[in-house]
Amino acid sequence: MTELALIIDFGSQYTQLIARRVREMQVYCEIVPADLTAEQIAAKNPAAIILSGGPESVFAPNAPQLDEGLWELNVPTLGICYGLQLLTQHFGGKVEPGKLREYGAARVHQDQEHALLENTADASQVWMSHGDHVAEPPSGFQVILRSKNGLIAAIAHPEKSVMGLQFHPEVSHTEEGQTYLNNFLFKIAGFKGDWTPTHFIEQTIDSVRKIVGKERVLLGLSGGVDSSVLAFLLHEAIGEQLLPIFIDNGLLRLHEARQVLDQFEHSNIKIKYHDYSGEFLQAVKGITDPEQKRKIIGRVFIEAFESAAKKYGAAAFLAQGTLYPDVIESGSVIGKSHTIKSHHNVGGLPERLNMTVLEPFRELFKDEVRAVGRALGVPENIIGRHPFPGPGLAVRCLGDITPEKLEVIRQSDHIFIQTLREFGWYDKVWQAFTVLLPVQTVGVMGDQRTFENVVALRSVDSMDGMTANWSRIPAELLAEAAEKIVNHVVGVNRVVYDITSKPPATIEWE
Ligand code: XMP
């Protein structure tokens, strides 16, 4: 049985970060919404519970509450910020509303010894972000940390394993943050910290075999990290029962289809390649609206996949490389989020084909999928590949899509990526590519006036694609890429570099 730490989410912007920190300590954790009942929580059998922070005041009329039955479960519990205030109220302490939200760094001093504080330096910096604060701890609880001006920064019960921090241990500005979390999980809750990629692989292979039995499993393979690692993992579990189908949508990068097939050549995995590029390009012809492009490509993908799959007979399961951030972003864990872009992978397929979905990576972050891939022996050139969107070059070709424009993107993208590789930067950035703008500008080549297209270079640094910074790549690299693109790609006379982060921009331009 995997040991589980449960993170109960009260809507903090840092909840995912708590999960990442816990996973970094090789402890498996899940984020669950605050309205779970104590019974539902007990059914998950957590060995520790972390109550996240949240944007609300505990005094707000609709402040999220906990099922009070949780406290009867006697599971070691750490409240962070809002979580601390909830537990203070529950055990009869006094929370005072703050007039203003307090953000920023503070120093904390140890008031009492406690396992939570082992191996931490005194007067270390912590990151505060709160409105309410604990004025009086509940009876039986001790104040273990105070801020410089005497305010309560942490409390704990000396016998019950219940404690809380006023600040955020999960953010890097809290100097001893990782040590507090480490102490809570290992010294207090008794975790072993054995949740490694190998552990995950063994468990997944086991459960996939049980679920699938002798049935066949279809997989939409794109050649990207997630679907490729999934193909290796499933092949290990069920061998030839796995049917990885690779649909060429005509929106791939230069020589990409060939490369993907080559990458699998030395494995025993037999990729079923199907070229539907004509159908896709016909369907998006003349379409300029980004959402419409995405929807059409999603629909044609389903049709193409269905017709390709028919050639192999019945299959009961459809495997997808859905990751944890997709699950969170789609709102199935926490509330509802706005649709920024209709992400297209194989959405809608399972209903249409009447198949059961297998999503072995639903609880993993991208770097964890990469670690699983390495443990499975997936070639490094697959693991290190930059993410590539399902709708492919269509969302990098602003305005209508033509074969000529796609060629400009393929050539310029290839040059940019090669230049990144030559400078040793490909592996340093999360994702890089070029975008063709529907804009012509004046230039001069030789003695001739030109009036040609603009290509934008985009390169970003990110942990999971949900937020991103534009990459600070060297000017010489940009200069070389720009020069080569203008000299070698017909129809381009200007190159620009995109210096917006996400948010407010997104990574792709459409
Ligand atoms: P955005 O543009 O939303 O992209 O900031 C975040 C990350 O997701 C990739 N992306 C997609 N991936 N299907 C995918 O599988 C899609 O429809 C899709 N759209 C964007 C994008 O390349 C970036 O890594």
Side-chain angles (χ1 to χ4, degrees):
M1 240 336 247
T2 309
E3 301 166 313
L4 169 71
L6 208 59
I7 300 169
I8 301 187
D9 181 51
F10 294 98
S12 163
Q13 53 172 328
Y14 298 130
T15 303
Q16 264 216 59
L17 207 50
I18 305 175
R20 290 196 63 86
R21 295 284 171 260
V22 171
R23 298 270 186 98
E24 277 162 18
M25 290 185 265
Q26 303 195 332
V27 167
Y28 178 65
C29 66
E30 285 179 22
I31 300 174
V32 293
D35 58 7
L36 236 56
T37 64
E39 235 171 45
Q40 289 170 312
I41 291 172
K44 287 183 168 283
N45 197 22
I49 292 175
I50 298 177
L51 310 177
S52 86
E56 299 285 351
S57 155
V58 284
F59 299 106
N62 294 324
Q65 294 297 324
L66 262 181
D67 182 340
E68 299 276 315
L70 173 107
W71 302 107
E72 312 299 320
L73 304 177
N74 286 322
V75 178
T77 302
L78 170 70
I80 296 174
C81 200
Y82 185 87
L84 162 72
Q85 283 130 28
L86 273 185
L87 79 83
T88 301
Q89 282 192 328
H90 170 80
F91 287 100
K94 193 167 161 210
V95 178
E96 270 181 3
K99 290 192 191 65
L100 285 176
R101 259 189 104 79
E102 225 185 282
Y103 293 98
R107 299 218 164 256
V108 291
H109 294 273
Q110 190 166 332
D111 230 52
Q112 293 281 332
E113 285 196 359
H114 191 273
L116 193 65
L117 311 182
E118 270 182 37
N119 303 318
T120 59
D122 200 33
S124 71
Q125 180 186 289
V126 300
W127 188 254
M128 296 283 186
S129 165
H130 63 91
D132 307 335
H133 64 272
V134 177
E136 261 171 48
S139 90
F141 278 74
Q142 297 172 325
V143 176
I144 57 171
L145 285 175
R146 278 184 198 277
S147 69
K148 219 170 167 186
N149 46 10
L151 288 179
I152 295 173
I155 63 169
H157 195 283
E159 287 107 41
K160 293 189 181 98
S161 287
V162 178
M163 60 218 70
L165 302 170
Q166 180 69 73
F167 52 88
H168 291 273
E170 67 276 21
V171 305
S172 55
H173 309 294
T174 298
E175 288 168 351
E176 299 285 4
Q178 199 74 346
T179 317
Y180 297 127
L181 291 173
N182 191 81
N183 287 340
F184 173 66
L185 293 170
F186 296 102
K187 301 218 157 72
I188 297 166
F191 278 85
K192 289 198 278 294
D194 57 0
W195 195 69
T196 59
T198 315
H199 191 121
F200 172 83
I201 292 166
E202 284 165 5
Q203 264 190 347
T204 309
I205 289 179
D206 231 42
S207 69
V208 165
R209 283 183 183 150
K210 278 198 196 105
I211 294 169
V212 168
K214 297 222 172 320
E215 300 288 346
R216 297 200 304 166
V217 178
L218 294 181
L219 167 69
L221 184 97
S222 68
V225 185
D226 310 331
S227 64
S228 299
V229 174
L230 189 54
F232 275 83
L233 179 62
L234 292 178
H235 190 258
E236 190 94 6
I238 55 170
E240 302 292 301
Q241 282 166 259
L242 174 71
L243 294 168
I245 297 182
F246 177 24
I247 303 286
D248 187 339
N249 60 8
L251 299 162
L252 302 176
R253 290 162 290 186
L254 195 67
H255 308 315
E256 185 164 8
R258 183 72 262 146
Q259 277 166 6
V260 170
L261 295 175
D262 286 351
Q263 279 170 347
F264 281 89
E265 208 168 67
H266 301 294
S267 70
N268 290 322
I269 306 173
K270 296 195 185 72
I271 309 294
K272 323 285 181 205
Y273 172 80
H274 293 270
D275 184 359
Y276 283 92
S277 44
E279 284 82 345
F280 279 90
L281 296 183
Q282 185 56 36
V284 292
K285 204 169 174 179
I287 305 295
T288 54
D289 177 68
E291 270 303 282
Q292 229 188 325
K293 278 186 195 171
R294 283 177 171 271
K295 294 223 165 85
I296 291 172
I297 294 166
R299 171 177 57 72
V300 179
F301 181 83
I302 292 178
E303 290 163 8
F305 194 88
E306 188 177 13
S307 92
K310 267 199 190 121
K311 305 193 167 101
Y312 304 99
F317 294 91
L318 179 73
Q320 299 186 14
T322 315
L323 303 190
Y324 204 33
D326 309 331
V327 176
I328 295 171
E329 270 199 334
S330 69
S332 49
V333 172
I334 303 150
K336 282 263 175 288
S337 60
H338 294 273
T339 303
I340 308 293
K341 296 176 185 182
S342 322
H343 271 219
H344 136 74
N345 294 318
V346 283
L349 251 185
E351 298 80 15
R352 170 93 169 237
L353 301 185
N354 195 18
M355 290 194 290
T356 309
V357 179
L358 281 183
E359 294 177 319
F361 295 159
R362 271 184 79 79
E363 270 99 35
L364 301 191
F365 291 99
K366 192 144 202 135
D367 52 338
E368 292 172 329
V369 172
R370 290 196 160 115
V372 165
R374 289 201 174 94
L376 279 168
V378 176
E380 207 51 43
N381 55 354
I382 297 185
I383 289 176
R385 275 177 66 131
H386 288 175
F388 186 63
L393 300 183
V395 293
R396 298 176 180 174
C397 183
L398 310 196
D400 67 326
I401 299 164
T402 65
E404 296 74 28
K405 290 184 183 175
L406 291 175
E407 197 48 31
V408 169
I409 304 176
R410 285 195 182 103
Q411 296 296 338
S412 58
D413 181 82
H414 183 70
I415 292 174
F416 186 32
I417 296 298
Q418 284 306 107
T419 315
L420 281 165
R421 287 193 194 279
E422 279 160 25
F423 278 74
W425 270 77
Y426 182 83
D427 293 323
K428 290 190 196 165
V429 304
W430 161 268
Q431 186 175 16
F433 53 89
T434 61
V435 183
L436 177 62
L437 312 192
V439 173
Q440 282 82 46
T441 69
V442 175
V444 52
M445 276 210 194
D447 293 330
Q448 296 284 319
R449 173 190 191 267
T450 59
F451 189 57
E452 289 177 329
N453 296 305
V454 184
V455 160
L457 309 179
R458 179 77 161 142
S459 177
V460 296
D461 304 333
S462 175
M463 290 294 282
D464 45 28
M466 293 176 71
T467 60
N469 277 319
W470 59 276
S471 316
R472 271 54 169 182
I473 47 186
E476 299 75 43
L477 192 167
L478 291 172
E480 185 160 323
E483 194 181 318
K484 282 189 177 157
I485 289 171
V486 173
N487 282 332
H488 297 289
V489 185
V490 178
V492 177
N493 69 354
R494 192 177 294 269
V495 175
V496 296
Y497 185 46
D498 179 354
I499 51 165
T500 35
S501 292
K502 173 184 179 178
T506 54
I507 296 176
E508 304 290 345
W509 280 42
E510 285 193 340

